[in-house]
Amino acid sequence: MKPIKPNALFLGVLSFYVSIYQVFAQNILIKNLPLDSIQVVNAIITDAENTVWLGTAKGLVSINRNSEVKVHKVVVDTFRSSPISCIFMDSEQNKWIGTYTGQVFKINFQGITSRYDFSKFGNHLITNILLDKNNNLWLSTAGNGIYTMNPTGDMLNFNSQNSPLPNDQVFALHLDNQGVAWIGTGKGLIKLSGINRWDREKKIEGEISALAEYNGDLWVGVIGLQETELWKYESYRKWVKIELPNFMRYTRFMKFAFDKNGKLWVATSQVANFDNGIWNLYGEEQGLTSKSVTCLQFDQENHLWIGSDGKGAFTTAPIQIPEKKEEKLPFVFIEEKPYIDEEGLVPDKVDESILNKPITLKIQFQQSRSELLPTSIIELEKLVEILNKNPNWLVEISGHTDNVGNPKLNLELSEQRAAVVRDYIMQRGVAMSRITTLGFGGTRPIASNSNSKDREKNRRVEIVLRKRM
């Protein structure tokens, strides 16, 4: 047999990988669904009748076998509806819906809605909802750890202040068959089992962004100390690190899903699957035009459904939704417009007339970050002066963003910016007991977000001054 030259061998391997991509490009077609003005899809589930449910920034969307689309508003209070951050379907086909602001809704098979308000723990985005074998509800949040609720309605909150949780940012949550809660935090993977038994998985370091179990193995997506990592906990006994291709080493795992053949599919900036040791990427060639995939799910017929941040939903299912002329939903001001003085805060002009009103601070941050620009110090010093002159006043600090980008990351950024303001005024002598911080992401706009000028108005930090009772 004539030996193969090294360069020929290289070309042979290269052509093999190219052929893999070409085969998949021919055998899978992903199409974007015309869902009017719905651009952000955060979660996807399917029910027993193969109706697909999308959790979106504008409500709950259902698409049945006949391609009929319905939008169901989730009303948080009399004045506004809330964007949906996550959905869970339990064994009785009840749909559990989490919102950006700490509320949870259950819709039973008859369409009757029940509301569970966890906002007493803070208005934090719900990232995951699960139900254990004893019908205890488990929620993870972006900013306040874990919530639980037993069947009688008793609620608990585990966070970094009252439990061994190392971080309050929890983007991944899994309950295994032994009743162990696997909690993916911003600073590692934690197990909660038995009666308040906490254990940390020391093998995994970094932010845990995705968790899923298939066939007795736990899969863990990690933003590691150096690069993105994927781990498989085989039969919950042995940790195995999965090699990632270059295009996945500096991305973020948003969600895992498994098809009927047991292949792992991942939502990162795009979609990829892991097939017999080979990673296959799906993008524009297959019809997936979004570069910001948020979630994915397979329906009962093994069709793939994909949610994105900015381009709505995609699917491989053979459905036909007639395109409609885009109808913009009416914009609703959630609260009264904040008080804004061109001079910013003026301590000498402040009296009790400004109490209980939202005030926009004239401060600036670095682009998409929580670092204050030096010009902001003047405004913050004025706030410190006002609080020092009025020792019976309390201050509520809230961070806000526009609607561009990933809603979960926007919420996190808004919380961080509010915390930066808090930390500054605390360093200047304001007691922590007088300060409350909140993050709302893009859920409380004061302008339409339809142009850059209005979006700039929505990127703000507000304060509300209140008199101590």
Short mmCIF file of all heavy atoms in Angstrom, two decimals, residues 339-361:
data_model
loop_
_atom_site.label_atom_id
_atom_site.label_comp_id
_atom_site.label_asym_id
_atom_site.label_seq_id
_atom_site.Cartn_x
_atom_site.Cartn_y
_atom_site.Cartn_z
N TYR A 339 -38.78 63.01 37.62
CA TYR A 339 -38.42 64.41 37.70
C TYR A 339 -36.97 64.57 37.25
O TYR A 339 -36.08 63.87 37.72
CB TYR A 339 -38.58 64.89 39.15
CG TYR A 339 -37.89 66.21 39.46
CD1 TYR A 339 -38.48 67.41 39.09
CD2 TYR A 339 -36.66 66.22 40.09
CE1 TYR A 339 -37.85 68.61 39.37
CE2 TYR A 339 -36.02 67.41 40.38
CZ TYR A 339 -36.63 68.61 40.02
OH TYR A 339 -36.00 69.78 40.29
N ILE A 340 -36.70 65.44 36.31
CA ILE A 340 -35.35 65.69 35.83
C ILE A 340 -35.10 67.19 35.83
O ILE A 340 -35.84 67.95 35.21
CB ILE A 340 -35.14 65.14 34.40
CG1 ILE A 340 -35.45 63.65 34.34
CG2 ILE A 340 -33.71 65.41 33.93
CD1 ILE A 340 -35.39 63.07 32.95
N ASP A 341 -34.08 67.63 36.54
CA ASP A 341 -33.67 69.03 36.56
C ASP A 341 -32.42 69.15 35.71
O ASP A 341 -31.49 68.35 35.84
CB ASP A 341 -33.39 69.47 38.00
CG ASP A 341 -33.26 70.99 38.11
OD1 ASP A 341 -32.43 71.55 37.36
OD2 ASP A 341 -33.96 71.59 38.94
N GLU A 342 -32.38 70.09 34.81
CA GLU A 342 -31.21 70.25 33.95
C GLU A 342 -29.93 70.45 34.74
O GLU A 342 -28.84 70.11 34.30
CB GLU A 342 -31.43 71.43 32.98
CG GLU A 342 -32.51 71.18 31.95
CD GLU A 342 -32.23 69.97 31.07
OE1 GLU A 342 -31.06 69.77 30.70
OE2 GLU A 342 -33.16 69.22 30.78
N GLU A 343 -30.05 71.02 35.96
CA GLU A 343 -28.88 71.21 36.80
C GLU A 343 -28.54 69.96 37.59
O GLU A 343 -27.53 69.90 38.27
CB GLU A 343 -29.13 72.35 37.80
CG GLU A 343 -29.43 73.70 37.18
CD GLU A 343 -29.70 74.72 38.27
OE1 GLU A 343 -28.74 75.11 38.96
OE2 GLU A 343 -30.86 75.12 38.42
N GLY A 344 -29.37 68.93 37.49
CA GLY A 344 -29.20 67.78 38.34
C GLY A 344 -29.77 68.06 39.72
O GLY A 344 -30.63 68.93 39.89
N LEU A 345 -29.28 67.33 40.72
CA LEU A 345 -29.73 67.57 42.09
C LEU A 345 -29.20 68.91 42.59
O LEU A 345 -28.03 69.25 42.37
CB LEU A 345 -29.23 66.45 43.00
CG LEU A 345 -29.84 65.06 42.79
CD1 LEU A 345 -29.11 64.03 43.64
CD2 LEU A 345 -31.32 65.06 43.10
N VAL A 346 -30.06 69.67 43.25
CA VAL A 346 -29.67 70.96 43.82
C VAL A 346 -30.03 70.94 45.30
O VAL A 346 -31.18 71.18 45.67
CB VAL A 346 -30.37 72.14 43.11
CG1 VAL A 346 -29.87 73.46 43.67
CG2 VAL A 346 -30.15 72.06 41.60
N PRO A 347 -29.05 70.61 46.17
CA PRO A 347 -29.36 70.45 47.60
C PRO A 347 -30.06 71.64 48.23
O PRO A 347 -30.96 71.46 49.08
CB PRO A 347 -27.97 70.23 48.22
CG PRO A 347 -27.17 69.62 47.11
CD PRO A 347 -27.66 70.28 45.86
N ASP A 348 -29.72 72.85 47.84
CA ASP A 348 -30.32 74.04 48.45
C ASP A 348 -31.79 74.21 48.08
O ASP A 348 -32.52 74.95 48.75
CB ASP A 348 -29.54 75.30 48.04
CG ASP A 348 -28.14 75.32 48.62
OD1 ASP A 348 -27.92 74.62 49.64
OD2 ASP A 348 -27.26 76.00 48.06
N LYS A 349 -32.23 73.56 46.99
CA LYS A 349 -33.62 73.71 46.55
C LYS A 349 -34.50 72.54 46.99
O LYS A 349 -35.70 72.54 46.74
CB LYS A 349 -33.68 73.79 45.01
CG LYS A 349 -33.00 75.02 44.42
CD LYS A 349 -33.16 75.01 42.91
CE LYS A 349 -32.48 76.23 42.27
NZ LYS A 349 -32.64 76.20 40.79
N VAL A 350 -33.89 71.56 47.65
CA VAL A 350 -34.62 70.35 47.99
C VAL A 350 -35.50 70.56 49.22
O VAL A 350 -35.03 71.09 50.24
CB VAL A 350 -33.64 69.18 48.23
CG1 VAL A 350 -34.35 68.00 48.87
CG2 VAL A 350 -33.00 68.77 46.92
N ASP A 351 -36.77 70.15 49.11
CA ASP A 351 -37.65 70.12 50.27
C ASP A 351 -38.52 68.88 50.17
O ASP A 351 -38.32 68.04 49.29
CB ASP A 351 -38.50 71.40 50.35
CG ASP A 351 -39.31 71.64 49.07
OD1 ASP A 351 -39.71 70.65 48.42
OD2 ASP A 351 -39.55 72.82 48.72
N GLU A 352 -39.51 68.76 51.05
CA GLU A 352 -40.30 67.53 51.09
C GLU A 352 -41.20 67.35 49.87
O GLU A 352 -41.81 66.29 49.70
CB GLU A 352 -41.13 67.49 52.37
CG GLU A 352 -40.28 67.32 53.62
CD GLU A 352 -41.11 66.99 54.85
OE1 GLU A 352 -42.35 66.88 54.72
OE2 GLU A 352 -40.52 66.82 55.93
N SER A 353 -41.28 68.33 49.01
CA SER A 353 -42.11 68.20 47.81
C SER A 353 -41.55 67.17 46.84
O SER A 353 -42.26 66.69 45.95
CB SER A 353 -42.25 69.56 47.11
OG SER A 353 -40.98 69.99 46.62
N ILE A 354 -40.26 66.84 46.97
CA ILE A 354 -39.68 65.85 46.04
C ILE A 354 -39.76 64.43 46.57
O ILE A 354 -39.35 63.48 45.89
CB ILE A 354 -38.21 66.19 45.71
CG1 ILE A 354 -37.31 65.94 46.93
CG2 ILE A 354 -38.06 67.60 45.20
CD1 ILE A 354 -35.84 65.93 46.59
N LEU A 355 -40.26 64.27 47.80
CA LEU A 355 -40.37 62.93 48.36
C LEU A 355 -41.34 62.06 47.57
O LEU A 355 -42.32 62.55 47.01
CB LEU A 355 -40.82 63.00 49.82
CG LEU A 355 -39.83 63.62 50.82
CD1 LEU A 355 -40.45 63.68 52.20
CD2 LEU A 355 -38.52 62.85 50.83
N ASN A 356 -41.04 60.77 47.53
CA ASN A 356 -41.91 59.75 46.91
C ASN A 356 -42.08 59.94 45.40
O ASN A 356 -43.06 59.47 44.82
CB ASN A 356 -43.29 59.73 47.59
CG ASN A 356 -43.18 59.52 49.08
OD1 ASN A 356 -42.48 58.60 49.53
ND2 ASN A 356 -43.85 60.36 49.85
N LYS A 357 -41.14 60.63 44.78
CA LYS A 357 -41.17 60.81 43.33
C LYS A 357 -39.87 60.28 42.72
O LYS A 357 -38.79 60.51 43.28
CB LYS A 357 -41.32 62.29 42.96
CG LYS A 357 -42.62 62.92 43.42
CD LYS A 357 -42.65 64.40 43.05
CE LYS A 357 -43.93 65.07 43.50
NZ LYS A 357 -43.95 66.52 43.17
N PRO A 358 -39.96 59.58 41.58
CA PRO A 358 -38.73 59.11 40.95
C PRO A 358 -37.92 60.27 40.38
O PRO A 358 -38.46 61.16 39.72
CB PRO A 358 -39.23 58.19 39.83
CG PRO A 358 -40.63 58.62 39.56
CD PRO A 358 -41.17 59.15 40.84
N ILE A 359 -36.64 60.30 40.67
CA ILE A 359 -35.73 61.35 40.21
C ILE A 359 -34.59 60.69 39.44
O ILE A 359 -33.94 59.78 39.95
CB ILE A 359 -35.16 62.15 41.39
CG1 ILE A 359 -36.28 62.76 42.24
CG2 ILE A 359 -34.19 63.22 40.91
CD1 ILE A 359 -35.79 63.35 43.55
N THR A 360 -34.37 61.12 38.22
CA THR A 360 -33.28 60.58 37.42
C THR A 360 -31.97 61.29 37.77
O THR A 360 -31.89 62.51 37.67
CB THR A 360 -33.57 60.73 35.92
OG1 THR A 360 -34.71 59.94 35.59
CG2 THR A 360 -32.38 60.25 35.09
N LEU A 361 -30.98 60.51 38.17
CA LEU A 361 -29.67 61.09 38.48
C LEU A 361 -28.90 61.41 37.21
O LEU A 361 -28.95 60.63 36.24
CB LEU A 361 -28.85 60.11 39.33
CG LEU A 361 -29.36 59.80 40.73
CD1 LEU A 361 -28.46 58.76 41.39
CD2 LEU A 361 -29.44 61.05 41.58
#
